[in-house]
Amino acid sequence: MTEVVDQEVATFPVPRTCPFEPPPEYKKLREEAPISRVNLPGGGQTWVITRHEDVRAALTDPRFSSNRKAPNFPMLAKDGRRVFDDFSPSLIGMDAPEHGPARRAVVGEFTVRRMEALRPRIQEIVDERIDAILAGPQPADLVEMLSLPVPSLVICEQLGVPYSDHDFFQHHTSRMLSRTAESDERRKAFLSLREYLDKLVSQKEADPSDDLLGRQVLKQREDGNEDHNALVAMAFLLLLAGHETTANMISLSVVALLENPEQLEAIKDDHAKTLSAVEELLRYFTIADTATVRVAKEDVEIGGVTIKAGEGVLGLGYSANRDPEAFDRPDELDIERGARHHVAFGFGAHQCLGQNLARMELQIVFDTLFRRIPTLKIAAPIDDLPFKNDAAVFGLHSLPVTW
């Protein structure tokens, strides 16, 4: 297989130029050189993997490491400086054997059964936010009024984080996830968040409450392995992932469904189709496209290409989820596709811990929003909407709507 570094498409990550389509470079690479070496924004190179089969193979191969402190781990920020190296790794930065016990310690908080127990409270939150939209002026910003508050409130209540502080962590997470922000700015945002969570965990250790962090404190004590920094790292990951990703999926999905009224009508007529719609929208947008980054611990052959020990790998989730070998008519939105083999939540041992929660939040939002505001429409041309083309998690900064 040919090794390619096309200077026109060589530097990754590639911004999205259309909110409903992957960058055209993805298709070019997938068809002409599905495993290729490309340039990183801060210098150096990494392999990109573009086919669905190969991405899944890489994500389940223990010879690839998630250790972000490895010397050649691909850095996707524009200046390539390491922002978070001085601190304990979170789950996404761990390998076996540390990863398994750390994940098992918290995975029970995200089972389908526990998520179902949260359903009434999530429904209550969604209804409260829609009440506020209907009582307010038009146009309303759906991001501010619904997309961000719903997952933020849910994850704050789960972790025991005061929701009154949500503006603080929303501001700082947006700076952290910006690919155009300077390293010093991103590091400052990270340190502010970490200091906040450090104090919060200390409070939970002094007086464990009946929430996820409080239960983890008690579990550590029972097991005799108290680790303050590990709890801070876990809280950081869950807070960041628990609101930013779902918030962006809510906004983008509303746009996609309003732009495809026949599919929207299908879920209005039959709520049993909503969960299938959620899976399709996750595949269709793949908002955390470049989250599946690894470095080879030893030589590995993937798709006929040998990736040598110490070389970085970027599995392009968005390309994998639009691979015609894995999905029929991949560029079409089809809410009845029923294809749950997408990699929008990653794959393998590091697959998204909170995926059951995300699915349920999206299901409740769609069923409730379009039932209660059936005449909802976007109050601006699609081309004028402020999409997050500069962020590690794709989404919308705001979404004006009327009804």
Side-chain angles (χ1 to χ4, degrees), residues 128-130 132-133 137 139-153 163 166-167 170 247-248 250-251 388 396-401:
E128 288 171 352
R129 298 314 307 162
I130 294 176
I133 291 172
D141 180 3
L142 201 74
V143 172
E144 178 184 359
M145 298 296 292
L146 182 72
S147 304
L148 270 173
V150 169
S152 296
L153 277 162
Y163 183 70
H166 76 280
D167 284 339
Q170 175 57 34
N248 286 313
I250 291 172
S251 302
K388 296 181 178 180
L396 276 162
H397 291 288
S398 62
L399 177 58
V401 295

Side-chain angles (χ1 to χ4, degrees), residues 143 147-148 151 177 243-254 285 287 362 388 391 393-397:
V143 172
S147 304
L148 270 173
L177 293 171
H243 80 278
E244 184 73 24
T245 51
T246 306
N248 286 313
M249 272 305 304
I250 291 172
S251 302
L252 291 168
S253 298
V254 168
F285 284 112
I287 58 173
L362 293 169
K388 296 181 178 180
V393 178
F394 184 63
L396 276 162
H397 291 288

Side-chain angles (χ1 to χ4, degrees), residues 12 51 89 125 220 229 231 260 273 288 296 301 318 349 353 397:
F12 272 67
R51 295 187 305 195
I125 289 170
Q220 282 193 353
N229 289 332
L231 283 178
N260 292 270
K273 294 180 179 180
E301 183 177 311
Y318 204 8
L353 190 67
H397 291 288

Side-chain angles (χ1 to χ4, degrees), residues 36-328:
S36 306
R37 286 179 66 81
V38 298
N39 297 325
L40 290 168
Q45 294 186 333
T46 191
W47 292 95
V48 290
I49 303 178
T50 58
R51 295 187 305 195
H52 183 269
E53 178 183 5
D54 294 336
V55 168
R56 283 167 58 115
L59 294 178
T60 54
D61 195 318
R63 293 173 294 178
F64 287 112
S65 171
S66 296
N67 179 12
R68 278 141 176 79
K69 296 183 181 182
N72 292 324
F73 194 89
M75 303 300 292
L76 303 181
K78 66 176 183 177
D79 57 9
R81 286 179 56 191
R82 298 179 185 275
V83 177
F84 320 121
D85 266 3
D86 299 337
F87 301 98
S88 299
S90 64
L91 285 172
I92 60 171
M94 291 182 183
D95 294 330
E98 292 80 15
H99 176 261
R103 185 179 175 97
R104 287 192 293 274
V106 73
V107 72
E109 297 282 349
F110 295 95
T111 62
V112 172
R113 182 176 180 179
R114 187 176 282 275
M115 293 303 97
E116 283 299 320
L118 290 175
R119 183 179 289 274
R121 177 54 183 148
I122 297 173
Q123 182 68 63
E124 184 179 31
I125 289 170
V126 172
D127 279 320
E128 288 171 352
R129 298 314 307 162
I130 294 176
D131 286 345
I133 291 172
L134 292 171
Q138 299 190 43
D141 180 3
L142 201 74
V143 172
E144 178 184 359
M145 298 296 292
L146 182 72
S147 304
L148 270 173
V150 169
S152 296
L153 277 162
V154 172
I155 196 63
C156 282
E157 289 187 10
Q158 265 196 297
L159 292 175
V161 175
Y163 183 70
S164 57
D165 296 333
H166 76 280
D167 284 339
F168 168 83
F169 63 74
Q170 175 57 34
H171 170 75
H172 286 84
T173 53
S174 66
R175 300 316 300 152
M176 277 182 51
L177 293 171
S178 172
R179 290 191 181 125
T180 58
E182 297 295 333
S183 240
D184 288 344
E185 185 179 1
R186 293 174 63 237
R187 183 171 176 82
K188 183 178 179 181
F190 168 77
L191 291 173
S192 296
L193 275 171
R194 193 184 185 286
E195 180 181 7
Y196 172 88
L197 291 169
D198 186 277
K199 292 178 180 177
L200 180 68
V201 169
S202 293
Q203 293 171 9
K204 302 293 182 183
E205 289 169 334
D207 184 18
S209 46
D210 187 19
D211 48 50
L212 188 151
L213 286 179
R215 289 190 291 270
Q216 288 298 303
V217 167
L218 294 176
K219 183 175 178 57
Q220 282 193 353
R221 287 178 183 169
E222 290 172 6
D223 296 341
N225 60 350
E226 294 183 57
D227 189 336
H228 175 86
N229 289 332
L231 283 178
V232 174
M234 182 188 67
F236 188 95
L237 172 65
L238 295 178
L239 185 62
L240 180 68
H243 80 278
E244 184 73 24
T245 51
T246 306
N248 286 313
M249 272 305 304
I250 291 172
S251 302
L252 291 168
S253 298
V254 168
V255 173
L257 290 169
L258 290 173
E259 287 292 291
N260 292 270
E262 72 290 346
Q263 308 223 20
L264 176 56
E265 287 303 315
I267 63 172
K268 283 183 178 180
D269 294 341
D270 182 2
H271 288 337
K273 294 180 179 180
T274 306
L275 277 177
S276 178
V278 167
E279 295 301 326
E280 175 67 350
L281 288 159
L282 288 163
R283 180 200 71 87
Y284 189 72
F285 284 112
T286 315
I287 58 173
D289 174 32
T290 57
T292 47
V293 189
R294 302 287 189 269
V295 64
K297 295 188 287 187
E298 56 185 274
D299 291 0
V300 186
E301 183 177 311
I302 296 283
V305 174
T306 298
I307 297 170
K308 296 181 180 179
E311 294 182 331
V313 171
L314 170 58
L316 293 176
Y318 204 8
S319 175
N321 282 340
R322 294 295 185 97
D323 185 348
E325 295 297 318
F327 304 95
D328 185 37

